[in-house]
Amino acid sequence: MAAMDKPVCLIDTASDGKLCVQQSALQVLEQIQQPVVVVAVVGLYRTGKSYLMNRLAGKQTGFALGSTIESKTKGIWMWCVPHPTKPGTTLVLLDTEGLGDVDKGDPKHDTNIFCLAVLLSSTLVYNSRGTIDNRAIEELQYVTELTECIKVKSPDEDADDSNEFVKFFPSFIWAVRDFTLERKIDGKDATENDYLEFALKLKHGAARKVMEYNLPRECIQKFFPSRTCFTFPFPTAPENVSRLERLDPADLSTEFLVVTARFCKFVFDKSEVKKLKDGYTVTGRVLGHLAKTYVDTIASGAVPCLENAVIAMALIENQAAVKEGLEVYQSGMEKLKKSFPLELKVVSSEHQRLSGMATQTFMTRSFRDTDGKHLKSLEEKVNELFDGYLCQNEQASKKRCEDLLSFLSATMNENLKQGIYAKSGGYDLFCKDLEDIVKKYNSQTNKEVKAEAVLKVFLKQKSVDSKAILQADKKLTEKEKKIKEETEKAILLEQEIKAKEEQQRQLLERMEAEKQSNEERMRQMKEKMDEEMRLQREEAERAMDSKLREQAALLEKGFKEKADRMSQEMEEFKRQNAEAESNRAREFAELLENSNKRHEESMAMMMQQHREQMNALQKQMSARPPGGCCIL
């Protein structure tokens, strides 16, 4: 990817007040073929989010910093840089508009921004100041609205699918600025993560207050099982934050710079590559598709649905995967074409290799091609191209053979014009010259795919001259002429048989190539199936571990009724996962079966062609007269 020297706006607010994606940002993402680690920062406005994002980008400036009480960042801004610790990976930083700005007219605007940050990121940094107390947790009210603002399955379904959130929600880092407390719990030193878990523990209270105070805590625990905390024990008040971009690093507190560097390393270590449900790795290009889909859905007034977004993205990616696979195949065959004509086994061998590469290219990019429609499209287009290249190779071979015969028979043609053969004994002279031409031709075309077919046509053409010369040769008796005629017919028949035998050999060679190509395709499909099933199981295991931890926390604090409900949820979760795995296995089995069926149909057509050729060949061979043929 080309390095971005500054951030660009990814999501903005249009003149009608609706969110929209900026095309220039999508063009940047479209160029990123690498997996992406997406770190988004959210939090109240004027808390120094942009400064942290600049430091994560390894820069002193970039994302806009404000010096007034107004929120500086509007919408969501994006900065893509090479990941500092993960080679072959791009770090995508998303700086979001500050939450809680009183100047915003749309009360749902903040919730939409928060939801988009959750949907697009692999790590969500929540930036706050002071301590993690009830007030701080209440300020994170947006997390309680996620079940209403995000759906995993179709929004038309009434079922609560929030239990699925844990499968694709980002890891959560709570960055606490201006932290001045001693980290002690029950008089003992505590880590930052201990402090976060202590603050998030469910607490008893009056019936009404339990709901008010515990709901955000419960949602954070439920939706973000991978959560950590980082505290900054230094004041970063708005007036100080606004000056940071103008200060020389030497003027800043060494301790502050050290802690900021530690924060960056902490984020890099905790952040993983962005993945979708079922473990599909997200590239910059895919992230752009997702951003466009989610934002367009919100702008339409609908609820973003992961399933619908993934289906839409899968269609785009699978179509592109077919195109990429074809480009790999066609590029390689075009290089080979420069060397045409070639032996069939050389062309078939390269076809097999490139066909395998095309399938692998498709497999790498394709996603949720559950019915195998796009893989089938790739197979058909590759085979169509292969037929075309075989035809071009045959044409090149035919031309080379024809040119060679034209060169070798030039003297004979001149003799025909001058009447050299139109005399007594001319027929034997003509046959000797023709025999020499055939010998030289065979010695130079033993690897040409059209050698026998072109020679058959040539001999048939020369038989016209041969008959005329034979009838005019007064040296031969009528009986001898009759014998010569029969011998000539035998020569032509023998050549026709040889041409058909070569055609048959080439058909068998192609059938073997198709068989090997299918075996390689089956191997790749099985490999992809195993990998996708492994990712699906790992995803389910992570979600189940999260639920077990959540249940343990409920039991520890005495929320037995909730814990019991959790047990029922987990049983249902297990059942759904088992059903999903069974469905996926069935889909793959059908995919393999259909692919094999297409191969068998193709082979059956070739076998039918083989039988027809064999029958024709056997009829001609039975008509072959006894004895040999001098020319052949």
Side-chain angles (χ1 to χ4, degrees):
M1 60 162 284
M4 292 177 66
D5 56 0
K6 61 181 180 180
V8 297
C9 183
L10 173 63
I11 298 170
D12 202 359
T13 305
S15 56
D16 60 1
K18 294 180 179 179
L19 294 174
C20 60
V21 178
Q22 296 299 299
Q23 192 61 36
S24 57
L26 291 180
Q27 289 171 356
V28 171
L29 290 172
E30 180 66 29
Q31 302 305 312
I32 301 175
Q33 310 287 342
Q34 296 178 330
V36 291
V37 173
V38 189
V39 179
V41 62
V42 296
L44 298 182
Y45 76 109
R46 304 304 303 118
T47 54
K49 300 186 305 299
S50 298
Y51 174 76
L52 286 184
M53 297 304 273
N54 287 337
R55 302 311 298 159
L56 287 170
K59 304 291 183 182
Q60 189 68 17
T61 61
F63 288 111
L65 307 183
S67 58
T68 69
I69 60 170
E70 296 178 329
S71 173
K72 187 71 175 177
T73 303
K74 300 296 181 184
I76 298 180
W77 284 67
M78 175 186 80
W79 201 349
C80 304
V81 297
H83 198 287
T85 62
K86 290 183 172 67
T89 305
T90 297
L91 176 64
V92 180
L93 300 170
L94 301 180
D95 187 18
T96 66
E97 182 174 343
L99 307 173
D101 188 347
V102 293
D103 289 336
K104 296 171 189 171
D106 184 0
K108 291 186 64 178
H109 183 82
D110 281 354
T111 301
N112 289 336
I113 292 291
F114 184 84
C115 287
L116 285 169
V118 169
L119 287 167
L120 296 176
S121 66
S122 54
T123 294
L124 184 71
V125 178
Y126 180 65
N127 191 67
S128 70
R129 287 165 52 199
T131 58
I132 304 178
D133 53 17
N134 282 338
R135 180 180 175 183
I137 292 172
E138 284 301 308
E139 286 173 347
L140 194 48
Q141 60 179 316
Y142 309 99
V143 76
T144 67
E145 301 173 37
L146 289 175
T147 55
E148 299 300 322
C149 301
I150 297 175
K151 290 292 180 184
V152 177
K153 299 172 185 174
S154 172
D156 299 330
E157 297 178 14
D158 295 329
D160 177 15
D161 58 7
S162 61
N163 287 322
E164 295 281 314
F165 286 6
V166 69
K167 288 185 177 181
F168 68 91
F169 266 28
S171 58
F172 181 84
I173 298 176
W174 195 319
V176 186
R177 315 289 285 276
D178 305 351
F179 185 77
T180 57
L181 298 177
E182 283 189 272
R183 285 201 308 270
K184 288 185 179 293
I185 299 174
D186 297 329
K188 297 178 182 178
D189 289 338
T191 65
E192 290 164 305
N193 289 345
D194 290 337
Y195 169 63
L196 174 62
E197 293 307 309
F198 178 77
L200 291 178
K201 277 186 177 180
L202 300 176
K203 298 174 175 64
H204 286 288
R208 186 166 178 270
K209 290 186 177 180
V210 168
M211 179 61 70
E212 289 176 353
Y213 292 152
N214 286 357
L215 187 56
R217 286 185 170 89
E218 189 176 340
C219 288
I220 294 170
Q221 289 182 344
K222 182 175 183 177
F223 301 149
F224 301 103
S226 175
R227 52 185 181 269
T228 50
C229 179
F230 192 95
T231 58
F232 289 81
F234 299 100
T236 51
E239 61 272 17
N240 292 334
V241 172
S242 64
R243 291 171 56 239
L244 289 175
E245 69 173 334
R246 299 191 298 273
L247 290 175
D248 187 282
D251 297 332
L252 295 173
S253 159
T254 302
E255 291 178 287
F256 181 79
L257 291 175
V258 168
V259 172
T260 303
R262 189 167 67 84
F263 170 75
C264 292
K265 183 178 184 305
F266 181 82
V267 172
F268 297 148
D269 290 346
K270 297 291 181 183
S271 302
E272 299 295 334
V273 167
K274 171 72 174 173
K275 291 189 176 181
L276 295 179
K277 188 172 176 286
D278 295 336
Y280 183 75
T281 298
V282 174
T283 62
R285 179 185 58 244
V286 172
L287 185 67
H289 293 327
L290 291 172
K292 182 79 168 60
T293 301
Y294 291 140
V295 170
D296 288 351
T297 301
I298 290 173
S300 72
V303 176
C305 171
L306 182 73
E307 189 73 19
N308 291 349
V310 168
I311 289 170
M313 184 274 295
L315 177 62
I316 295 170
E317 285 298 288
N318 287 335
Q319 289 173 341
V322 171
K323 184 180 177 184
E324 273 190 16
L326 282 175
E327 286 171 355
V328 166
Y329 178 81
Q330 197 163 11
S331 173
M333 290 299 283
E334 284 296 316
K335 289 177 184 176
L336 185 72
K337 178 181 167 183
K338 293 174 184 177
S339 302
F340 282 0
L342 294 166
E343 288 182 77
L344 177 60
K345 67 179 179 182
V346 174
V347 181
S348 295
S349 176
E350 189 64 359
H351 159 71
Q352 281 178 247
R353 188 182 74 83
L354 291 169
S355 177
M357 287 176 62
T359 303
Q360 188 59 55
T361 300
F362 171 83
M363 294 290 189
T364 300
R365 183 165 181 176
S366 69
F367 177 54
R368 283 199 173 189
D369 185 29
T370 49
D371 57 0
K373 179 176 71 174
H374 293 92
L375 178 60
K376 178 184 176 184
S377 173
L378 176 65
E379 287 176 36
E380 290 174 345
K381 289 176 179 176
V382 163
N383 287 333
E384 187 179 322
L385 285 171
F386 183 43
D387 288 340
Y389 286 115
L390 285 178
C391 184
Q392 291 175 63
N393 187 56
E394 288 177 357
Q395 290 300 316
S397 179
K398 181 182 176 186
K399 185 176 186 308
R400 178 181 286 182
C401 291
E402 288 174 342
D403 288 348
L404 178 60
L405 280 173
S406 178
F407 171 75
L408 293 174
S409 62
T411 302
M412 172 182 275
N413 292 335
E414 188 62 29
N415 289 343
L416 283 167
K417 286 181 183 177
Q418 293 180 11
I420 300 296
Y421 303 117
K423 60 184 180 182
S424 179
Y427 181 78
D428 286 340
L429 178 61
F430 176 82
C431 285
K432 182 180 180 306
D433 288 347
L434 184 60
E435 184 177 350
D436 289 341
I437 290 171
V438 171
K439 282 181 179 178
K440 289 177 182 178
Y441 174 82
N442 285 334
S443 69
Q444 295 180 51
T445 61
N446 61 329
K447 294 183 179 180
E448 291 291 342
V449 294
K450 297 299 287 183
E452 302 296 347
V454 169
L455 181 59
K456 181 186 80 169
V457 173
F458 175 76
L459 292 177
K460 200 167 187 178
Q461 290 171 344
K462 289 304 172 192
S463 70
V464 177
D465 296 322
S466 176
K467 286 175 183 176
I469 294 169
L470 179 62
Q471 294 304 318
D473 195 332
K474 295 179 180 178
K475 183 181 177 181
L476 300 171
T477 65
E478 288 302 316
K479 184 178 179 181
E480 287 173 327
K481 287 181 181 180
K482 192 71 176 173
I483 293 171
K484 298 283 187 184
E485 281 182 2
E486 291 303 317
T487 302
E488 194 166 310
K489 286 180 183 178
I491 290 172
L492 293 176
L493 178 60
E494 186 74 16
Q495 182 57 39
E496 193 164 344
I497 289 171
K498 287 183 73 174
K500 278 196 164 59
E501 284 176 338
E502 176 60 21
Q503 189 179 8
Q504 185 73 350
R505 187 191 67 78
Q506 291 179 13
L507 176 62
L508 291 172
E509 200 170 290
R510 184 167 179 188
M511 287 171 70
E512 179 59 26
E514 172 60 26
K515 178 187 171 192
Q516 291 181 17
S517 291
N518 185 66
E519 287 173 355
E520 173 61 15
R521 188 162 51 245
M522 291 296 102
R523 186 194 66 77
Q524 291 184 7
M525 289 170 67
K526 180 69 167 54
E527 197 174 86
K528 185 176 178 68
M529 176 189 76
D530 291 343
E531 176 63 11
E532 289 194 6
M533 293 292 281
R534 183 185 66 79
L535 290 171
Q536 189 171 325
R537 279 192 291 270
E538 285 181 357
E539 182 184 79
E541 286 168 6
R542 283 196 301 271
M544 183 57 69
D545 287 344
S546 167
K547 289 182 178 299
L548 287 169
R549 288 197 301 273
E550 186 182 346
Q551 185 185 45
L554 288 169
L555 287 170
E556 182 186 352
K557 299 306 293 183
F559 294 93
K560 188 175 183 308
E561 188 178 337
K562 280 182 174 288
D564 290 342
R565 285 204 300 271
M566 277 289 298
S567 293
Q568 295 174 5
E569 285 181 14
M570 283 190 287
E571 286 303 315
E572 176 62 16
F573 187 71
K574 286 178 184 176
R575 187 194 65 77
Q576 289 176 354
N577 284 331
E579 184 179 336
E581 187 167 332
S582 174
N583 289 341
R584 195 78 182 108
R586 189 187 69 253
E587 288 170 355
F588 272 119
E590 290 175 358
L591 187 61
L592 290 170
E593 184 182 345
N594 290 337
S595 184
N596 262 325
K597 188 176 179 182
R598 289 196 300 274
H599 168 68
E600 287 168 2
E601 288 172 353
S602 174
M603 294 297 282
M605 287 176 63
M606 288 185 178
M607 285 300 294
Q608 178 62 28
Q609 188 180 349
H610 170 68
R611 283 192 293 270
E612 290 172 358
Q613 287 182 3
M614 282 297 294
N615 289 336
L617 190 58
Q618 285 168 358
K619 285 179 182 178
Q620 287 185 322
M621 290 181 74
S622 63
R624 177 194 287 167
C629 182
C630 63
I631 293 179
L632 302 177

